[in-house]
Structure formats: C-alpha cells, structure tokens
Amino acid sequence: MTNSSIFPADFLWGGATAANQIEGAYNEGGKGLSIQDVMPQGITTPRADGPTDDNLKQVAIDFYHRYAEDIALFAEMGFKTFRFSIAWSRIFPLGDETEPNEEGLAFYDRVIDECEKHGIEPLVTISHYETPLHLADTYDGWVNRDLIGFYERYARVLFARYGARVTYWLTFNEINSVLHAPLMSGGINTPKEELSKTDLYQAVHNELVASALATKAARELAPNAQVGCMILAMPTYPLTPDPDDVMASLTTERTNLAFGDIHVRGEYPGYYLRSLRDQGVDLVITAEDRALLKENTVDFVSFSYYVSVADTADESKRVTGPGNLFPGVRNPTLKASEWGWQIDPVGLRIVLNQFWDRWQKPLFIVENGLGAKDELVEVDGRKTVIDDYRIAYLNDHLVQVGEAVADGVDVMGFTPWGCIDLVSASTAQMSKRYGFIYVDRNDDGTGSLDRFKKKSFDWYAEVIRSNGASLTR
Ligand code: BG6
C-alpha cells in the first residue's frame, strides 16, 4: 500500500558525504595533511606517525577528480540538496596561517558550480572529522583555545567566498562525538586514555564557542545563510521500567541532548553543569564566551541517526555492543546490521518528536542509512547491486519521518549518508557501503573506481519524484 505524500512540497531530498571520505587527492591542490591522513584504520587503531599507503582515504573514491560525474548522477536521482564538507586543510593547509590556499577554494567553487548547474542546493559542513594535522600535533586540537580563532578565520573565509551561493551550513559534524572519539572529532592528539576530563570538556567548550562565532560570522557575511548545529542522535531507552533505569537512560541521553540545548538555548543546562561538577571538571569560560553562546544560537538543528541504544542502572545488565562511533547497552527487541548497529526506524520518529518538542527549531536529518556488504552482479548486461536490504531500511525510516511530519514536526529534509559509496569513518573500510551508487574499489585498494547504479538508485529517484508518496508502509 502506498501513502499520498505527507512531506512538505519544499522538502530537501538529497544525500550526504564528507570530504575525507570521498575526495582522495590527499596531497594535491596545495592541501595540507589532516588527522584523517594518519588514521588508516579509522578509530579502530591508534594513529600513525604520518601518511601510510594502506590508507584508503588517500584516494577515497576520487571525488576530487570525478565530482562533475558524481553530481550529475545525484541530479539524475532528482537530488534537491547535496551535503558535502569542506576539507579545512585544503583551505588552510596547516590551519594556523593567515592567508587561505586559493587552489583549495577554487575546487569548491567548481563543486558548487556543478550543483548550481543541476539546481542542487549545497549543504556544507564546515568541519567534518578533518582537522588539519598540524593543529593536532602542535596545539593538541580543540583542547587549545587558539583553535577558536583559527576556525573562525576559516569559517569567515568560507562565508565570504561562498555565502552568496550556499544557504545551509553546519558548523561541526556530530559535535557530541568529541566525547568519544577525541582525535577524529576534536583533533586531540593526546590518547583518549590519557586525556583529562577537564581537557576534554574544555575542548567541547572551545568548539561550542567556535560554533557560535561561525554563526555570528554568517550573520555578518552571508545574511541569507541558515546555520545549524549537527548532533549524533542516539535515543536511549530504559532497559526496564525500573525508575533507576529510566534515570540512567535519561542521564546518558543528556550527554547528547546537551549539545542541542546549548546551541538552541545559548547556555549550559543545569544538569550539564552538575555533571561537570560531579566529575571534578573546572572549565575556563569567559563572560565573552557566555555572551557569544547566548547571542548566536542556531537557525535549525541537524542530526545523524543510525541506531538507538538502551541503558540501565544495573551494572550486571550493562551488556554493550557497537553503536554509531560509541557503544550502548543492547536492546533485546532490535535486530542489528552486519556491523552490529541496531536497527530502529521508530527511533527516528521518537528523536524527531523529542527534538521538536524540546527545541521548536526546524530539524534536518543529514545522515541515516545502512552500512552493508554489496555484491556487484550483472543484470541485462548492466552491472548493478540488488540491495533490497538497503531499500527496506531507508523505506522504513522514511515512513517514520512521514509519521513525524504528521505529528506536526517541522522536518526540512533528508540526506541519507554515503549516497555514493565512500570510505567508512569508524573502520576506514570500503566494504561498508551505504550508497545508491556502487564504487568499484575494494578494502585492499584495488578496483577501477567505476560507478554503477544500484537497485536503490531507481528506488530513491522515485521516492524523490513522488515526494515520498511511493514509500511502502
Ligand atoms: C557518522 C559520521 O558518524 O556516521 C560519518 O558523520 C560516518 O562520517 C557515518 O561515515 C557512518 O559511520 P561509518 O563508521 O559506518 O562510516
């Protein structure tokens, strides 16, 4: 049975990527090294000293040279928007220079040209897990307040250059993930086990101030811009109705919700301050910082959604499994992907309702999808992937987005993750595929890099064409 379209007429259908996971060309065009160039296995092993040939991100899917072909394929699916990130180290190769690298800026001019050619709205992430390596090595990343100024300078360059052509901006990808993946998310070189809580939460604070400064800069330099925060959403259910479990799950969930609270309300919530006190964390927060947070709140809230988790106060029942970048207590009612990520379409409706009730800000789902192994087969002389599992996953999640829209939630759009196969962030594998477009590249780096349309390509094109009416309930 199909439903008539519940989605708003201007719903922004599209797809999402990040520079380090698609571009390759890691040392071309004047680009400096980023932390991704020393993370050949993602977050599964400690960083390397320098670039190594086993790092798939050195070439990734070669978007740097094939962007026009790829954006044309997105247009063929009918994308209204394309989420990509700008590699900070293409613009400021070291991160602390005063003048940007023109060749890097020109590359993104060309990407935006292609988007415009096809009537696709760019959705730009300013910082997506690709802090310049020099900032990690010399400053210990976001632990150091100097990063605020370097990021502000970078953001100002972007708004000045692209502000007239790009409406939608995200300040930091999954800003809350710095608590769990300090190097990847916060460019923090000190190993996680050695990092003090004070340094970690100071890094969080510095990023929050930087995010507010970027919003302020956008208001000045690109008055039509809409700036959003980006949160890794992970609804946390109580494992049982025991009130202690409910409190435990609320406490865990608040570690993520705090980031939205601060971006939307412009101040630290009481429960967050209490948690800092309980952990013995004493932060440097200036009066100017407080004013910046208060005066520069976001226009919308964006988030990624892949999994939900549970939590419990009973240590003996805290059986954790993999989640999106950080683990959670397993929910016995849910199935999981091949990578152990538990699949919960209703959780997306829950998140949308919760965020809307809490913040009353437009919401943008800027990541969702199924990482799965695909098999390239030949059908009618054409290479493809019969990815019914991916279609089912996305269909079921989108049905729940429709439910949330019917609930009255203001949802701006949906950009599923890895609309074209790319290198995984957590494991740096190619074989963990999310795309509607298959890229011929293997975990050992072999492959032609040719692109092939999967079955989901036509399916998603029809979802967009029908504005969601083709979804199966
Ligand atoms: C999000 C990140 O955490 O999840 C992306 O913003 C990432 O960069 C995506 O790729 C999926 O995770 P993974 O580890 O399967 O690539």
Side-chain angles (χ1 to χ4, degrees), residues 21 128 173-174 306 324 341 367 417 424-426 432 434:
Q21 294 172 263
H128 190 133
N173 182 63
E174 295 183 333
Y306 296 90
N324 175 11
W341 295 22
E367 286 188 37
W417 178 248
S424 150
S426 57
K432 192 178 186 191
Y434 288 85

Side-chain angles (χ1 to χ4, degrees), residues 368-445:
N368 174 240
L370 178 69
K373 289 192 179 120
D374 285 341
E375 191 195 348
L376 199 59
V377 294
E378 203 155 309
V379 177
D380 300 333
R382 187 169 80 87
K383 285 193 178 150
T384 186
V385 175
I386 309 299
D387 54 345
D388 291 314
Y389 37 91
R390 183 168 295 109
I391 292 173
Y393 179 102
L394 289 169
N395 180 82
D396 294 352
H397 282 76
L398 277 168
V399 165
Q400 294 302 323
V401 177
E403 293 293 335
V405 172
D407 292 334
V409 179
D410 183 352
V411 190
M412 296 166 68
F414 181 77
T415 58
W417 178 248
C419 45
I420 181 166
D421 289 347
L422 40 66
V423 183
S424 150
S426 57
T427 64
Q429 292 168 297
M430 249 335 276
S431 54
K432 192 178 186 191
R433 297 174 183 275
Y434 288 85
F436 304 114
I437 301 162
Y438 184 93
V439 177
D440 179 21
R441 190 156 196 240
N442 306 308
D443 286 344
D444 62 5

Side-chain angles (χ1 to χ4, degrees), residues 45 62 73-74 94 173 182 234 253 318 351 384 460:
T45 57
D62 196 31
L73 285 167
F74 301 153
L94 295 173
N173 182 63
M234 205 151 100
E253 194 162 46
R318 292 196 94 259
V351 162
T384 186
Y460 192 46

Side-chain angles (χ1 to χ4, degrees), residues 278-293:
D278 288 353
Q279 296 181 79
V281 169
D282 193 12
L283 297 185
V284 178
I285 304 178
T286 66
E288 195 194 349
D289 292 348
R290 286 184 209 282
L292 280 168
L293 291 176

Side-chain angles (χ1 to χ4, degrees), residues 9-288:
D10 58 353
F11 193 75
L12 288 166
W13 298 98
T17 60
N20 73 88
Q21 294 172 263
I22 59 170
E23 286 179 3
Y26 82 105
N27 59 359
E28 284 180 52
K31 178 181 169 295
L33 295 177
S34 89
I35 46 124
Q36 290 292 345
D37 296 315
V38 297
M39 299 181 73
Q41 272 90 40
I43 56 171
T44 62
T45 57
R47 64 161 280 188
D49 292 335
T52 51
D53 291 344
D54 60 344
N55 190 338
L56 290 182
K57 288 165 276 192
Q58 290 193 346
V59 175
I61 61 161
D62 196 31
F63 179 84
Y64 188 76
H65 299 110
R66 297 166 194 244
Y67 61 93
E69 176 196 340
D70 292 339
I71 293 168
L73 285 167
F74 301 153
E76 206 180 313
M77 276 187 278
F79 277 24
K80 315 277 183 224
T81 188
F82 169 44
R83 176 179 174 221
F84 59 92
S85 70
I86 292 183
W88 189 346
S89 61
R90 280 200 192 286
I91 310 303
F92 287 100
L94 295 173
D96 57 1
E97 304 93 330
T98 49
E99 291 306 317
N101 168 35
E102 174 55 33
E103 221 179 326
L105 287 166
F107 170 63
Y108 296 103
D109 280 336
R110 296 197 294 277
V111 171
I112 297 168
D113 287 346
E114 285 308 308
C115 289
E116 281 179 353
K117 196 162 109 188
H118 296 287
I120 294 174
E121 218 29 273
L123 165 58
V124 173
T125 316
I126 296 173
S127 177
H128 190 133
Y129 296 163
E130 46 221 352
T131 307
L133 184 61
H134 173 73
L135 298 184
D137 284 342
T138 312
Y139 299 86
D140 212 11
W142 281 97
V143 169
N144 192 314
R145 267 193 90 94
D146 288 352
L147 270 271
I148 299 175
F150 302 146
Y151 175 93
E152 187 194 0
R153 185 181 300 149
Y154 163 55
R156 282 184 171 272
V157 165
L158 301 189
F159 294 133
R161 180 78 168 221
Y162 312 119
R165 307 171 77 193
V166 175
T167 305
Y168 302 104
W169 297 85
L170 310 180
T171 53
F172 287 95
N173 182 63
E174 295 183 333
I175 186 164
N176 47 326
S177 64
V178 64
L179 295 175
H180 308 276
L183 174 61
M184 186 161 80
S185 182
I188 300 170
N189 206 27
T190 302
K192 195 175 168 184
E193 317 70 57
E194 294 165 28
L195 189 61
S196 73
K197 288 265 186 253
T198 296
D199 280 352
L200 181 59
Y201 282 95
Q202 190 65 53
V204 169
H205 174 72
N206 294 341
E207 284 198 35
L208 288 164
V209 172
S211 183
L213 273 167
T215 307
K216 182 169 187 268
R219 308 265 187 268
E220 288 167 28
L221 297 166
N224 294 326
Q226 290 195 38
V227 182
C229 56
M230 198 305 206
I231 300 164
L232 186 161
M234 205 151 100
T236 309
Y237 308 140
L239 192 62
T240 74
D242 181 331
D244 286 338
D245 281 0
V246 178
M247 196 60 227
S249 65
L250 176 61
T251 303
T252 299
E253 194 162 46
R254 278 172 157 178
T255 61
N256 299 320
L257 292 172
F259 290 80
D261 285 348
I262 298 162
H263 273 103
V264 172
R265 300 178 184 148
E267 59 192 27
Y268 284 117
Y271 67 81
Y272 185 83
L273 293 171
R274 183 202 169 151
S275 133
L276 295 183
R277 280 197 306 276
D278 288 353
Q279 296 181 79
V281 169
D282 193 12
L283 297 185
V284 178
I285 304 178
T286 66
E288 195 194 349

